[in-house]
Amino acid sequence: MAVCRGILVVVAVCLLGGCAVDGGWVDPDAGLSPQADPAAVARTSEIEAAGPGTQAVMVAFYQSVCALQTRYRAELQAAEGGAGQLTAVQYRDAAVAMLSARATAAETARRSAAELPIPDLFPDEWRSAQAELTLLFDGLDLADRSRATEMAAVDPADADHLKTTARNLIAASAQQIENENPRIRVVADRLPAPKQVRRQAAELDECRTPS
């Protein structure tokens, strides 16, 4: 049986939750535009007047999002890895295991997103953000499970085809993760949170961009 040398992981990307946001996941200065209309000004005033209890839930929302990102990133990194010399079957199985582990990491993040705390100020907007994050991770989960299934069906008799398929599927997975990365910042920036909450969230250890 042909011998394949290590899985070539084609992933020179910032894993989701890793380095898409300069300085951290929360922009403490995101807020009102200088050209805002009166309705926007009134809305901002209402947001800035949020009570301590509401602000605490908002901070908890940010903290929970950052924590699930940290956990997801750690699980992705654990899924990466090489090996010494592998037979074609072992090579295929290792690629399946990597893709399956990525899917599992996304599934865990999706479950965490579905349990995020919802503030009582403009709750529909917080629920919308929660739903967007849930769908984001659900999409990553389903895509990588599909890739793992495709990889598992590859005939190990054709070692060259097997290696090409593995590299392509792993690279496609990494590219999808990279493409989804900016959406987390977009979701965070449009949440109706006062500046004090954003500043508190930006200072949380969980919300700082890893070095």
Side-chain angles (χ1 to χ4, degrees):
M1 181 180 291
V3 175
C4 306
R5 291 184 177 276
I7 293 181
L8 299 179
V9 182
V10 195
V11 284
V13 300
C14 297
L15 296 179
L16 186 59
C19 54
V21 182
D22 293 338
W25 280 108
V26 182
D27 180 2
D29 297 317
L32 197 62
S33 164
Q35 291 77 35
D37 60 30
V41 172
R43 170 186 163 88
T44 298
S45 296
E46 185 176 359
I47 291 171
E48 293 299 329
T54 298
Q55 290 196 25
V57 178
M58 291 177 176
V59 172
F61 185 101
Y62 279 112
Q63 186 171 25
S64 296
V65 170
C66 294
L68 73 85
Q69 290 297 309
T70 299
R71 184 169 57 250
Y72 178 55
R73 184 181 63 254
E75 291 179 359
L76 284 176
Q77 290 172 339
E80 311 301 333
Q85 291 188 339
L86 302 175
T87 66
V89 171
Q90 290 170 331
Y91 190 105
R92 180 193 64 190
D93 292 348
V96 170
M98 180 185 295
L99 292 165
S100 296
R102 289 182 181 181
T104 299
E107 180 185 16
T108 300
R110 175 185 57 77
R111 289 199 304 266
S112 296
E115 297 173 356
L116 290 169
I118 303 299
D120 58 8
L121 180 64
F122 300 112
D124 288 347
E125 295 182 37
W126 293 86
R127 290 193 187 95
S128 177
Q130 177 190 39
E132 187 169 349
L133 292 172
T134 301
L135 287 173
L136 184 155
F137 287 113
D138 190 48
L140 291 170
D141 175 16
L142 293 175
D144 276 335
R145 290 194 191 284
S146 176
R147 293 182 184 110
T149 298
E150 181 180 347
M151 189 68 232
V154 176
D155 184 356
D158 187 343
D160 289 339
H161 173 65
L162 184 147
K163 287 189 290 184
T164 298
T165 301
R167 292 167 185 166
N168 289 343
L169 290 174
I170 291 170
S173 171
Q175 186 62 56
Q176 184 177 4
I177 291 170
E178 185 179 24
N179 291 345
E180 296 287 17
N181 205 12
R183 289 179 57 191
I184 306 299
R185 176 64 176 266
V186 171
V187 171
D189 280 353
R190 70 169 182 247
L191 286 171
K195 287 186 179 296
Q196 177 60 28
V197 166
R198 294 180 182 278
R199 291 191 184 101
Q200 285 182 255
E203 293 171 359
L204 294 170
D205 288 341
E206 297 93 333
C207 294
R208 295 182 185 277
T209 301
S211 58

